[in-house]
């Protein structure tokens, strides 16, 4: 359903230099698949998601690559064509619901506007659809929510409204950019349960972006691990969690606290370098415990294991 190949995106800095944000990104998603995109803050997860729907900031530029959605190369699409894709075929759940919603319009009207645009409904027809949608996603007082402004709702309620906005047109693909970041644990569980139900009922695929491995393990089938603008390991989620191959993925799992085990946290040494100083060869090698001589010279290739796992690491050449 979605195939990204050789995608490169760069930022133009104040000095007029292009800084690579995404480097040779390649991934595939099947229909109804749930794929998790994991990595530290600043590794390029959100930029990858925004590239799919071409909502990049002005300083960002797609240098090369292909983004194929249902057989259509979105890279070549004009803005008018993209308006028919965004919302209707690809729904986007943004990280911060307060910035995703317009503060001067009632939340129900904002969702109704999307339905009117894509399906040519009257305002009354759109309102009835929004009220039904609010009931489905668990609002006890759908009419009150419909007539509320974003600032009148709690964080969890606003996030549900943003989810309603993303799914109102029954899209084939839902991109969820850290949809539970600002929520407490109880609301997080409710939002994840809601997304799972939506996926199963609407038969949508979900690209779930997060920095929390333990969170996505309950909702996703596949996993992509990103580091400094590259996908360094990808494949079946259970297989990777049972047997992580890349030293970075191993480090992420070792840094997870386990309540049932008395173990010390083992943080990954060092820090992420700035985009202007990406190391030569494997970008992770300055922080890697298992680096080889070749790691600082050449970028590693993708190495496949049993069609269930792929890793970008010289240890497995």
């Amino acid at each position: 359903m979605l195939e990204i190949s050789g995608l490169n995106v760069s930022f133009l800095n104040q000095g007029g230099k292009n800084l690579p944000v995404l480097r040779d990104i390649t991934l595939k998603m099947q229909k109804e698949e749930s794929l998790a995109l994991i990595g530290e803050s600043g590794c390029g997860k959100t930029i990858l998601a925004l590239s799919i729907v071409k909502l990049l900031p002005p300083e960002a530029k797609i240098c090369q690559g292909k983004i194929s959605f249902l057989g259509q190369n979105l890279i070549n699409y004009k803005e008018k064509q993209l308006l028919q894709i965004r919302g209707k075929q690809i729904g986007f759940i943004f990280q911060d619901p307060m910035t995703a919603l317009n503060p001067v319009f009632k939340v129900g009207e904002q969702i109704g506007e999307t339905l009117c645009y894509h399906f040519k409904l009257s305002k009354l027809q759109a309102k009835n659809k929004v009220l039904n949608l609010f009931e489905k996603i668990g609002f006890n007082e759908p009419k009150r929510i419909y007539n509320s402004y974003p600032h009148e709702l709690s964080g969890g309620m606003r996030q549900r409204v943003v989810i309603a906005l993303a799914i109102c047109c029954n899209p084939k693909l839902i991109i969820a950019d850290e949809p539970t970041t600002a929520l407490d644990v109880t609301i997080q569980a409710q939002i994840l349960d809601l997304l799972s139900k939506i996926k199963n009922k609407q038969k949508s695929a979900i690209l779930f972006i997060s920095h929390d491995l333990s969170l996505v393990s309950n909702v996703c089938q596949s996993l992509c691990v990103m580091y400094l603008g590259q996908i360094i390991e990808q494949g079946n989620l259970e297989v990777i969690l049972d047997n992580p191959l890349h030293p970075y993925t191993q480090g992420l799992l070792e840094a997870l606290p386990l309540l049932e085990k008395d173990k010390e946290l083992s943080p990954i040494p060092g820090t992420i370098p700035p985009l202007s100083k990406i190391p030569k060869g494997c970008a992770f090698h300055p922080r890697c415990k298992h680096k080889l001589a070749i790691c600082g010279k050449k970028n590693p290739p993708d190495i496949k294991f049993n069609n269930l796992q792929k890793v970008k690491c010289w240890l497995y050449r």
Side-chain angles (χ1 to χ4, degrees):
M1 185 189 67
L2 176 70
E3 183 175 359
I4 300 173
S5 55
L7 181 66
N8 287 267
V9 176
S10 64
F11 274 15
L12 187 67
N13 69 1
Q14 291 179 341
K17 185 180 179 183
N18 281 314
L19 304 178
V21 183
L22 297 180
R23 298 178 293 137
D24 198 26
I25 295 290
T26 297
L27 67 84
K28 292 181 182 180
M29 280 187 74
Q30 306 298 328
K31 290 181 180 179
E32 300 182 43
E33 182 182 3
S34 52
L35 184 146
L37 194 62
I38 289 289
E40 293 173 81
S41 296
C43 72
K45 304 186 298 296
T46 297
I47 293 299
L48 174 54
L50 293 174
S51 299
I52 296 170
V53 287
K54 294 185 79 173
L55 284 175
L56 290 166
E59 65 272 16
K61 177 187 174 185
I62 296 177
C63 304
Q64 65 181 55
K66 182 180 177 183
I67 300 172
S68 177
F69 175 69
L70 297 175
Q72 308 164 70
N73 187 5
L74 301 185
I75 293 286
N76 300 325
Y77 268 37
K78 306 291 185 198
E79 183 65 19
K80 196 171 182 180
Q81 294 172 295
L82 288 166
L83 288 174
Q84 301 302 318
I85 299 289
R86 297 181 194 134
K88 190 174 184 181
Q89 296 193 59
I90 301 177
F92 209 113
I93 302 170
F94 290 93
Q95 190 170 347
D96 183 3
M98 271 309 276
T99 55
L101 296 169
N102 193 319
V104 299
F105 289 101
K106 295 173 181 177
V107 296
E109 292 173 354
Q110 295 185 52
I111 300 172
E113 183 184 21
T114 302
L115 290 167
C116 290
Y117 178 81
H118 286 297
F119 299 114
K120 312 302 179 192
L121 302 179
S122 68
K123 286 191 175 181
L124 181 60
Q125 288 173 320
K127 182 177 180 179
N128 290 332
K129 274 189 169 291
V130 174
L131 291 173
N132 288 333
L133 185 58
F134 280 172
E135 283 183 11
K136 286 179 185 176
I137 64 172
F139 282 131
N140 294 325
E141 300 175 282
K143 287 184 179 178
R144 182 181 71 82
I145 302 299
Y146 183 96
N147 291 305
S148 298
Y149 291 93
H151 70 272
E152 295 176 321
L153 303 175
S154 68
M157 286 180 168
R158 282 196 295 266
Q159 194 59 283
R160 282 176 183 268
V161 170
V162 171
I163 290 171
L165 185 58
I167 68 167
C168 65
C169 298
N170 294 330
K172 300 291 184 187
L173 171 64
I174 299 169
I175 301 175
D177 186 7
E178 305 206 28
T180 61
T181 298
L183 306 176
D184 61 58
V185 177
T186 308
I187 305 298
Q188 271 189 12
Q190 291 175 6
I191 295 296
L192 290 177
D193 184 53
L194 175 61
L195 286 172
S196 295
K197 287 177 180 175
I198 289 166
K199 176 190 175 301
N200 295 331
K201 191 168 184 178
Q202 295 189 177
K203 300 191 180 302
S204 303
I206 293 185
L207 177 61
F208 196 105
I209 298 170
S210 180
H211 55 261
D212 189 342
L213 264 172
S214 56
L215 192 72
V216 300
S217 61
N218 297 317
V219 290
C220 295
Q221 305 155 322
S222 308
L223 176 66
C224 286
V225 182
M226 285 189 73
Y227 183 78
L228 260 183
Q230 286 188 317
I231 294 177
I232 56 166
E233 187 165 2
Q234 60 182 301
N236 180 277
L237 186 137
E238 287 187 10
V239 171
I240 292 176
L241 293 185
D242 287 342
N243 182 34
L245 297 176
H246 200 283
Y248 177 67
T249 313
Q250 294 168 3
L252 288 179
L253 289 169
E254 286 169 6
L256 285 175
L258 297 175
L259 294 177
E260 69 275 10
K261 292 183 181 178
D262 183 20
K263 77 158 196 174
E264 283 189 26
L265 293 182
S266 178
I268 299 171
T271 56
I272 299 179
L275 293 175
S276 57
K277 295 181 180 177
I278 294 177
K280 190 179 176 183
C282 172
F284 185 65
H285 87 267
R287 306 173 67 188
C288 184
K289 301 174 185 176
H290 311 288
K291 61 186 172 188
L292 306 172
I294 195 172
C295 296
K297 298 174 183 176
K298 292 178 69 177
N299 197 28
D302 287 323
I303 299 168
K304 288 185 178 180
F305 288 81
N306 302 322
N307 292 323
L308 292 173
Q309 202 169 0
K310 190 162 67 171
V311 65
K312 189 183 285 290
C313 183
W314 284 114
L315 291 173
Y316 305 96
R317 60 180 169 172

